[in-house]
Amino acid sequence: MATTVFLNGRWCPPEDAMVSVNDRGFLFGDAVYEATPAYGGRFLRLERHMTRLQQGLDALRIAADVRTIERCHFELLERNDLRREPWSMVYLQVTRGVAPRGHAFPAGDVQPTVYGFARALTRPDRARWQAGYAAITYPDLRWRRADLKTTLLLANVLAQQAAVDAGVDDVILLRDSMAVEGSHANLFIVSNGALVTAPLDERVLPGVTRSIVIELAAGLSLEVHERDVSEADLRTAAEVLLCGTTTEIRPITSVNGEPVGGGAVGPITRQLYDAFQQHLLTL
């Protein structure tokens, strides 16, 4: 657990961080966030996370100083004694601020609420990773701007709870019979020796780890296609993997109780995972 959090310019213990009941993040989910990983105190693509945060703020028309938010990342690691932690994460959330409840943007000068915390992450051991992970498919009930990293995550919560109820690890969301992504990670499949992932549009979050996987694939001379992934593609895929900040690269070895490929972690997923671990050494 975090020992020190950031709230509107103040550093304090989590139990002392209080947000107004009139905050629009609390009332409407009128907020965006970023979760940025750090390895040994070195952030992975912090600038890309901040660019995505700025894009979300611009889309929602929330005026906040991203430069200040970026600086908070380093101090959150320091104040929570995470500089030497092998793997950690900084979470920063920005809401439109405090105003009387009303659906339209509040008039006047409303200051955004900025909240942040940091915590250590734990990577599964190699044996657990090599065993693979099970997933189910679930309807994509999210709003139509899934490309924005907002705090409107109830549909994601329901999807992940469906996985818990089914006794599996992950969910693959289906929209209009297309597999778009996981509840909190991007989706790739391997088909005919190539990586395939849904194109970046309003259905898909432009994942930072997703972009790294595509770069690593190029370095491994793997072909990558950005196109729709149908349910049939998912069922016949040789390999399925999810990737994200807290997921890294995760092999999915069964979907809806059916094995993916031979039911074991595939060679391309292994190559990408090993290349990702090597990439972290360059930070």
Side-chain angles (χ1 to χ4, degrees):
M1 293 291 291
T3 58
T4 303
V5 302
F6 176 86
L7 181 63
N8 293 336
R10 178 175 172 239
W11 300 94
C12 61
E15 59 271 19
D16 292 343
M18 303 296 176
V19 178
S20 169
V21 293
N22 287 321
D23 192 279
R24 289 179 63 91
F26 174 71
L27 293 172
F28 294 109
D30 189 357
V32 294
Y33 76 99
E34 277 294 328
T36 306
Y39 295 86
R42 296 179 295 277
F43 286 103
L44 178 62
R45 305 288 173 96
L46 177 58
E47 74 290 343
R48 180 66 190 89
H49 282 276
M50 292 300 95
T51 296
R52 187 171 63 184
L53 178 63
Q54 185 66 67
Q55 291 168 343
L57 291 167
D58 291 345
L60 270 61
R61 293 160 57 186
I62 296 175
D65 185 358
V66 173
R67 291 170 299 178
T68 299
I69 294 170
E70 183 172 349
R71 290 194 295 270
C72 286
H73 284 70
F74 300 94
E75 191 156 359
L76 278 166
L77 287 186
E78 188 68 40
R79 287 176 178 264
N80 289 281
D81 196 25
L82 295 171
R83 280 291 190 182
R84 293 179 177 82
E85 191 69 28
W87 189 23
S88 58
M89 177 197 74
V90 170
Y91 175 97
L92 261 299
Q93 174 177 305
V94 186
T95 83
R96 195 175 304 281
V98 178
R101 190 181 189 280
H103 284 75
F105 295 166
D109 185 19
V110 176
Q111 293 299 309
T113 298
V114 181
Y115 166 66
F117 70 85
R119 65 179 175 90
L121 299 175
T122 302
R123 181 181 293 122
D125 62 35
R126 189 74 179 194
R128 174 66 190 92
W129 188 90
Q130 289 177 338
Y133 295 81
I136 58 170
T137 55
Y138 191 82
D140 187 356
L141 305 177
R142 301 171 300 169
W143 76 314
R144 291 185 179 274
R145 292 304 308 273
D147 58 315
L148 300 177
K149 201 169 179 68
T150 73
T151 61
L152 292 167
L153 295 175
L154 182 56
N156 306 65
V157 168
L158 293 173
Q160 192 61 41
Q161 185 58 43
V164 171
D165 294 343
V168 299
D169 309 290
D170 288 291
V171 172
I172 296 171
L173 300 176
L174 300 177
R175 182 178 295 200
D176 300 326
S177 298
M178 297 295 167
V180 287
E181 53 188 351
S183 65
H184 56 282
N186 289 116
L187 170 72
F188 286 84
I189 68 168
V190 175
S191 179
N192 296 320
L195 276 174
V196 183
T197 188
L200 294 181
D201 55 27
E202 293 182 349
R203 303 170 301 170
V204 175
L205 184 74
V208 176
T209 309
R210 174 188 182 276
S211 67
I212 294 173
V213 168
I214 291 174
E215 292 173 16
L216 295 175
L220 295 168
S221 299
L222 296 172
E223 198 173 344
V224 180
H225 300 297
E226 295 185 70
R227 63 165 175 81
D228 284 342
V229 177
S230 68
E231 287 186 78
D233 292 330
L234 187 64
R235 286 194 299 270
T236 59
E239 300 177 41
V240 175
L241 60 122
L242 296 172
C243 67
T245 293
T246 58
T247 308
E248 295 190 314
I249 296 173
R250 173 176 287 189
I252 303 300
T253 51
S254 74
V255 177
N256 295 331
E258 296 297 324
V260 174
V265 180
I268 289 179
T269 303
R270 290 181 185 277
Q271 281 183 278
L272 290 168
Y273 182 81
D274 290 341
F276 182 78
Q277 300 306 317
Q278 286 299 311
H279 177 69
L280 296 178
L281 298 177
T282 68
L283 297 179

